[in-house]
Amino acid sequence: MSFANPIWFWAVLALLIPLFIHLFNRGKRKAIPFGSLLWLPKKNIKISRQIQLNQRWLWLIRSLILIIVAFLIAQPFILKTVQQNNPHWLLIQPNVSENLVKQLTDTLNLKQWQAKWLSYHLPLINFKTKQTEDLQKANINDILQLIDEQANKPLSVTVAGHFNAFDLQGKTFDYGFPIDWVFLPNEEDVSTLAYLKTENSLNVLSLNEQKHLTQIKKNELLEPADTNLATIQLQSKSFAVVYDASYQKLQKSILAALKALEIYHTISFKTNTYKSEDLPVELKTDGLFWLSAIEPPTLPNSTKLYLLNNSLPKETIVQNSTSEIEWAQPANLGKLPYLLNDMIFEHKTVEAQLAQIDSRPIHPSFFNEKKNGFNLPLNYYANTQQFLSYYCWFMLMLLLITERYLANRFV
Amino acid sequence: MLAQKTLHTFLSGYHLTKKNSNDYQFSQFRNYSSGDDVRLIDWKVYGKTQKLYIKQSTVSQQINVSLIPDLSASMLYEEAHISKLAYCKYIFACLSNLAFQQNDTVQLLHHKPFKHIIDALTAISHLKATNYWEDYEKLYTKSISNKNKNLLIYCSDFYEYKQEMMNWLSAAVQKGNEVIAFHLTGKQEKQMSFPKNTVLIDLETRQTQRLDKTIIQQGQANFLIQQQNLKQQLSKLRIHYVEMMINEPVKNALIQYLKFRTKHKH
């Protein structure tokens, strides 16, 4: 048994108080042998041995009350031992591409994990009643429920996939194991990611947004953005995305990432998109995302140029442009929101940003800093804590009633 | 020794004549020898014969004095380091001395009459008080079972639960015994002059009672009421009631005894 507030268990020392009171009062009272109490009024007459016995019971009960109060304050809980046959499960949705899964499994240290496809490769789950076709469309909630009904439950489950916000919205995933959500964004789901991050009840993380993982854990993302002057200035930012037909996919990803950043920073951008052939002559904007094989026009100094394609050599652009240029070629689109965030708001060099992104720690729940070396599932100890708390309260009530009864009867 | 000294002090002068005049009859004269009490010389005979003769008497009437102590644990109550039982022993020792001097026979509880004062004193000194009065009821019944009429001297604190003492005393009176009841009390016990925070422990039942102001007041009143009832009950039985404080000198008991004996003789 462990204690959430072990220091409060020192309150048990309060047991010494009644002992001192007893010892202190004992000296004051003087017992005199008397012939007979026969002619004295019959009021509170007790047999001395009975008194001693009753007082011992009372002392014992009062001591127990103090111990239980100390327990309640110290908040005890029972740590469940980790069983080797109950590893952490990683459930991967079937519609995730193999590249993403490889990236996921490479990034997560999966030594102690069992990666399972959410539909096809779940041998421990009894799917006999369901057809394979149904499983492909299986609701995540249903599958998790099936896992929960197993006798041999996993310690924790991490679900990875392209989730729709509306799939998870309004559902309570309250099972006997903690669930982590690894959000694997595609170019269209960045706003969903932003939505999910605002959900308090869901432990959602994005593989490409490692920085945010810590913040999600600390609930920092739930705090409203500062409404100071800097934020107001940010609100006035406007962007333009110029693209060729070949970069249409990247253009959509940039728009989605910008939208996610809007939600994340609770600000709004004014974003316009132009095809390279329809580019206006005078372009007034704070930042220009250039996704075209054509060389960008000469831009004013106030406009920052963001180059996210490798079709143009950087040196050429730099020579011909007077504006500040940020250049990056994202390794995958999933990292795009995070990349843009650093480019727009933190003005770091791209190499440094990318190096930082790659070296960032993974989800803190995957590594545990607890004593016993594994991640303590919060639900587990919260449950035992709650149970022990109820049990302590029940015992406290029982002892208080007994104490009052004995005190009234014998004292 | 204490009893003899007390008795000697008590009887010096006054009681010697009383003893001779009341309880003894002339038997014979014998020659005076050195060491005899000068007061015993018959001066009339000396006037006639010019010789010193001692007038010897025989006891005119013998009384069987039966000493009966209350042996319940309540007799262990003590004040100023003198327990009721010790005081009772003291009274009995003095009375047995006195009785022996008057050639009365002395017996303790159910024992046979003592031949020597030493035996009586030894038996008295070995008295112990434990448990309840009822535990000794057979002894008490046996002590009044002989056919001789005795002078019962009963020392007790009269704490009784079911009128057991009264029934026994009543039986003793019915058998023709004369009874003197010494009610042993303590000054502190009677006045309940204990500190407020005191806890009294009943010596018999081991019950305890924490004292407060009301209990002390009611205790004082109850004691007087109970004592009055006791007096009335004993007077109905024609038992001579004597209250003896264990703090007061024992000579009061002796005076009461002698007074009663005188009455008894007449």
PDB file of all heavy atoms in Angstrom, chain A residues 336-353:
ATOM      1  N   LEU A 336       3.944  19.077 -40.480  1.00  0.00           N
ATOM      2  CA  LEU A 336       3.757  20.419 -41.033  1.00  0.00           C
ATOM      3  C   LEU A 336       3.230  21.450 -40.023  1.00  0.00           C
ATOM      4  O   LEU A 336       3.794  22.546 -39.929  1.00  0.00           O
ATOM      5  CB  LEU A 336       2.835  20.343 -42.260  1.00  0.00           C
ATOM      6  CG  LEU A 336       2.844  21.561 -43.177  1.00  0.00           C
ATOM      7  CD1 LEU A 336       4.237  21.883 -43.682  1.00  0.00           C
ATOM      8  CD2 LEU A 336       1.888  21.354 -44.348  1.00  0.00           C
ATOM      9  N   PRO A 337       2.182  21.140 -39.253  1.00  0.00           N
ATOM     10  CA  PRO A 337       1.673  22.153 -38.321  1.00  0.00           C
ATOM     11  C   PRO A 337       2.748  22.601 -37.336  1.00  0.00           C
ATOM     12  O   PRO A 337       2.868  23.787 -37.047  1.00  0.00           O
ATOM     13  CB  PRO A 337       0.533  21.434 -37.600  1.00  0.00           C
ATOM     14  CG  PRO A 337       0.154  20.311 -38.468  1.00  0.00           C
ATOM     15  CD  PRO A 337       1.395  19.911 -39.200  1.00  0.00           C
ATOM     16  N   TYR A 338       3.497  21.628 -36.887  1.00  0.00           N
ATOM     17  CA  TYR A 338       4.528  21.979 -35.920  1.00  0.00           C
ATOM     18  C   TYR A 338       5.623  22.815 -36.568  1.00  0.00           C
ATOM     19  O   TYR A 338       6.145  23.766 -35.999  1.00  0.00           O
ATOM     20  CB  TYR A 338       5.114  20.695 -35.341  1.00  0.00           C
ATOM     21  CG  TYR A 338       5.922  20.953 -34.117  1.00  0.00           C
ATOM     22  CD1 TYR A 338       5.307  21.267 -32.926  1.00  0.00           C
ATOM     23  CD2 TYR A 338       7.310  20.923 -34.180  1.00  0.00           C
ATOM     24  CE1 TYR A 338       6.049  21.543 -31.812  1.00  0.00           C
ATOM     25  CE2 TYR A 338       8.058  21.193 -33.068  1.00  0.00           C
ATOM     26  CZ  TYR A 338       7.438  21.504 -31.885  1.00  0.00           C
ATOM     27  OH  TYR A 338       8.171  21.778 -30.788  1.00  0.00           O
ATOM     28  N   LEU A 339       5.964  22.461 -37.779  1.00  0.00           N
ATOM     29  CA  LEU A 339       6.994  23.193 -38.527  1.00  0.00           C
ATOM     30  C   LEU A 339       6.570  24.638 -38.758  1.00  0.00           C
ATOM     31  O   LEU A 339       7.322  25.579 -38.522  1.00  0.00           O
ATOM     32  CB  LEU A 339       7.221  22.472 -39.862  1.00  0.00           C
ATOM     33  CG  LEU A 339       8.397  22.899 -40.705  1.00  0.00           C
ATOM     34  CD1 LEU A 339       9.702  22.617 -39.992  1.00  0.00           C
ATOM     35  CD2 LEU A 339       8.369  22.176 -42.045  1.00  0.00           C
ATOM     36  N   LEU A 340       5.331  24.777 -39.168  1.00  0.00           N
ATOM     37  CA  LEU A 340       4.821  26.132 -39.426  1.00  0.00           C
ATOM     38  C   LEU A 340       4.783  26.950 -38.146  1.00  0.00           C
ATOM     39  O   LEU A 340       5.050  28.150 -38.150  1.00  0.00           O
ATOM     40  CB  LEU A 340       3.423  26.060 -40.040  1.00  0.00           C
ATOM     41  CG  LEU A 340       3.315  25.468 -41.446  1.00  0.00           C
ATOM     42  CD1 LEU A 340       1.907  25.698 -42.009  1.00  0.00           C
ATOM     43  CD2 LEU A 340       4.331  26.108 -42.391  1.00  0.00           C
ATOM     44  N   ASN A 341       4.428  26.276 -37.077  1.00  0.00           N
ATOM     45  CA  ASN A 341       4.355  26.974 -35.791  1.00  0.00           C
ATOM     46  C   ASN A 341       5.708  27.586 -35.445  1.00  0.00           C
ATOM     47  O   ASN A 341       5.800  28.755 -35.074  1.00  0.00           O
ATOM     48  CB  ASN A 341       3.932  25.985 -34.705  1.00  0.00           C
ATOM     49  CG  ASN A 341       3.809  26.649 -33.342  1.00  0.00           C
ATOM     50  OD1 ASN A 341       2.988  27.538 -33.165  1.00  0.00           O
ATOM     51  ND2 ASN A 341       4.633  26.228 -32.400  1.00  0.00           N
ATOM     52  N   ASP A 342       6.753  26.806 -35.614  1.00  0.00           N
ATOM     53  CA  ASP A 342       8.083  27.330 -35.286  1.00  0.00           C
ATOM     54  C   ASP A 342       8.535  28.381 -36.290  1.00  0.00           C
ATOM     55  O   ASP A 342       9.203  29.345 -35.939  1.00  0.00           O
ATOM     56  CB  ASP A 342       9.087  26.182 -35.234  1.00  0.00           C
ATOM     57  CG  ASP A 342       8.929  25.359 -33.965  1.00  0.00           C
ATOM     58  OD1 ASP A 342       8.023  25.680 -33.154  1.00  0.00           O
ATOM     59  OD2 ASP A 342       9.701  24.410 -33.784  1.00  0.00           O
ATOM     60  N   MET A 343       8.161  28.178 -37.535  1.00  0.00           N
ATOM     61  CA  MET A 343       8.580  29.142 -38.569  1.00  0.00           C
ATOM     62  C   MET A 343       7.913  30.494 -38.362  1.00  0.00           C
ATOM     63  O   MET A 343       8.531  31.539 -38.488  1.00  0.00           O
ATOM     64  CB  MET A 343       8.231  28.605 -39.967  1.00  0.00           C
ATOM     65  CG  MET A 343       9.093  27.430 -40.414  1.00  0.00           C
ATOM     66  SD  MET A 343       8.442  26.656 -41.911  1.00  0.00           S
ATOM     67  CE  MET A 343       9.135  27.726 -43.161  1.00  0.00           C
ATOM     68  N   ILE A 344       6.640  30.451 -38.026  1.00  0.00           N
ATOM     69  CA  ILE A 344       5.883  31.701 -37.943  1.00  0.00           C
ATOM     70  C   ILE A 344       6.121  32.395 -36.609  1.00  0.00           C
ATOM     71  O   ILE A 344       6.332  33.601 -36.546  1.00  0.00           O
ATOM     72  CB  ILE A 344       4.377  31.431 -38.144  1.00  0.00           C
ATOM     73  CG1 ILE A 344       4.138  30.915 -39.563  1.00  0.00           C
ATOM     74  CG2 ILE A 344       3.548  32.672 -37.864  1.00  0.00           C
ATOM     75  CD1 ILE A 344       2.757  30.348 -39.789  1.00  0.00           C
ATOM     76  N   PHE A 345       6.111  31.620 -35.546  1.00  0.00           N
ATOM     77  CA  PHE A 345       6.081  32.251 -34.224  1.00  0.00           C
ATOM     78  C   PHE A 345       7.424  32.260 -33.509  1.00  0.00           C
ATOM     79  O   PHE A 345       7.645  33.074 -32.629  1.00  0.00           O
ATOM     80  CB  PHE A 345       5.061  31.546 -33.325  1.00  0.00           C
ATOM     81  CG  PHE A 345       3.652  31.676 -33.842  1.00  0.00           C
ATOM     82  CD1 PHE A 345       2.984  30.574 -34.337  1.00  0.00           C
ATOM     83  CD2 PHE A 345       3.012  32.900 -33.847  1.00  0.00           C
ATOM     84  CE1 PHE A 345       1.703  30.702 -34.814  1.00  0.00           C
ATOM     85  CE2 PHE A 345       1.729  33.024 -34.326  1.00  0.00           C
ATOM     86  CZ  PHE A 345       1.068  31.926 -34.818  1.00  0.00           C
ATOM     87  N   GLU A 346       8.277  31.356 -33.839  1.00  0.00           N
ATOM     88  CA  GLU A 346       9.518  31.285 -33.070  1.00  0.00           C
ATOM     89  C   GLU A 346      10.750  31.695 -33.862  1.00  0.00           C
ATOM     90  O   GLU A 346      11.806  31.912 -33.293  1.00  0.00           O
ATOM     91  CB  GLU A 346       9.696  29.858 -32.517  1.00  0.00           C
ATOM     92  CG  GLU A 346       8.598  29.543 -31.506  1.00  0.00           C
ATOM     93  CD  GLU A 346       8.846  28.236 -30.778  1.00  0.00           C
ATOM     94  OE1 GLU A 346       9.967  27.720 -30.846  1.00  0.00           O
ATOM     95  OE2 GLU A 346       7.895  27.752 -30.155  1.00  0.00           O
ATOM     96  N   HIS A 347      10.615  31.809 -35.172  1.00  0.00           N
ATOM     97  CA  HIS A 347      11.675  32.336 -36.036  1.00  0.00           C
ATOM     98  C   HIS A 347      13.002  31.645 -35.822  1.00  0.00           C
ATOM     99  O   HIS A 347      14.054  32.265 -35.745  1.00  0.00           O
ATOM    100  CB  HIS A 347      11.857  33.848 -35.823  1.00  0.00           C
ATOM    101  CG  HIS A 347      10.582  34.592 -36.000  1.00  0.00           C
ATOM    102  ND1 HIS A 347       9.958  34.745 -37.221  1.00  0.00           N
ATOM    103  CD2 HIS A 347       9.787  35.191 -35.091  1.00  0.00           C
ATOM    104  CE1 HIS A 347       8.844  35.422 -37.062  1.00  0.00           C
ATOM    105  NE2 HIS A 347       8.702  35.701 -35.771  1.00  0.00           N
ATOM    106  N   LYS A 348      12.957  30.357 -35.650  1.00  0.00           N
ATOM    107  CA  LYS A 348      14.204  29.617 -35.510  1.00  0.00           C
ATOM    108  C   LYS A 348      14.672  29.192 -36.899  1.00  0.00           C
ATOM    109  O   LYS A 348      13.883  29.132 -37.837  1.00  0.00           O
ATOM    110  CB  LYS A 348      13.995  28.372 -34.642  1.00  0.00           C
ATOM    111  CG  LYS A 348      13.719  28.710 -33.191  1.00  0.00           C
ATOM    112  CD  LYS A 348      13.508  27.445 -32.406  1.00  0.00           C
ATOM    113  CE  LYS A 348      13.155  27.776 -30.972  1.00  0.00           C
ATOM    114  NZ  LYS A 348      12.755  26.572 -30.238  1.00  0.00           N
ATOM    115  N   THR A 349      15.930  28.869 -36.947  1.00  0.00           N
ATOM    116  CA  THR A 349      16.408  28.366 -38.231  1.00  0.00           C
ATOM    117  C   THR A 349      15.789  26.997 -38.485  1.00  0.00           C
ATOM    118  O   THR A 349      15.519  26.231 -37.550  1.00  0.00           O
ATOM    119  CB  THR A 349      17.943  28.221 -38.230  1.00  0.00           C
ATOM    120  OG1 THR A 349      18.283  27.285 -37.236  1.00  0.00           O
ATOM    121  CG2 THR A 349      18.627  29.548 -37.975  1.00  0.00           C
ATOM    122  N   VAL A 350      15.569  26.727 -39.714  1.00  0.00           N
ATOM    123  CA  VAL A 350      14.823  25.522 -40.063  1.00  0.00           C
ATOM    124  C   VAL A 350      15.575  24.267 -39.648  1.00  0.00           C
ATOM    125  O   VAL A 350      15.002  23.331 -39.105  1.00  0.00           O
ATOM    126  CB  VAL A 350      14.551  25.505 -41.578  1.00  0.00           C
ATOM    127  CG1 VAL A 350      13.860  24.206 -41.973  1.00  0.00           C
ATOM    128  CG2 VAL A 350      13.704  26.681 -41.957  1.00  0.00           C
ATOM    129  N   GLU A 351      16.885  24.299 -39.835  1.00  0.00           N
ATOM    130  CA  GLU A 351      17.670  23.126 -39.466  1.00  0.00           C
ATOM    131  C   GLU A 351      17.537  22.851 -37.970  1.00  0.00           C
ATOM    132  O   GLU A 351      17.367  21.704 -37.548  1.00  0.00           O
ATOM    133  CB  GLU A 351      19.150  23.331 -39.833  1.00  0.00           C
ATOM    134  CG  GLU A 351      19.437  23.263 -41.317  1.00  0.00           C
ATOM    135  CD  GLU A 351      19.084  24.562 -42.062  1.00  0.00           C
ATOM    136  OE1 GLU A 351      18.718  25.555 -41.379  1.00  0.00           O
ATOM    137  OE2 GLU A 351      19.155  24.567 -43.267  1.00  0.00           O
ATOM    138  N   ALA A 352      17.624  23.956 -37.210  1.00  0.00           N
ATOM    139  CA  ALA A 352      17.511  23.797 -35.759  1.00  0.00           C
ATOM    140  C   ALA A 352      16.140  23.257 -35.386  1.00  0.00           C
ATOM    141  O   ALA A 352      16.000  22.411 -34.510  1.00  0.00           O
ATOM    142  CB  ALA A 352      17.749  25.138 -35.067  1.00  0.00           C
ATOM    143  N   GLN A 353      15.115  23.773 -36.091  1.00  0.00           N
ATOM    144  CA  GLN A 353      13.756  23.318 -35.798  1.00  0.00           C
ATOM    145  C   GLN A 353      13.609  21.829 -36.060  1.00  0.00           C
ATOM    146  O   GLN A 353      13.086  21.082 -35.232  1.00  0.00           O
ATOM    147  CB  GLN A 353      12.757  24.069 -36.669  1.00  0.00           C
ATOM    148  CG  GLN A 353      12.542  25.501 -36.255  1.00  0.00           C
ATOM    149  CD  GLN A 353      11.826  26.270 -37.339  1.00  0.00           C
ATOM    150  OE1 GLN A 353      11.065  25.690 -38.100  1.00  0.00           O
ATOM    151  NE2 GLN A 353      12.091  27.552 -37.421  1.00  0.00           N
TER     152      GLN A 353
END
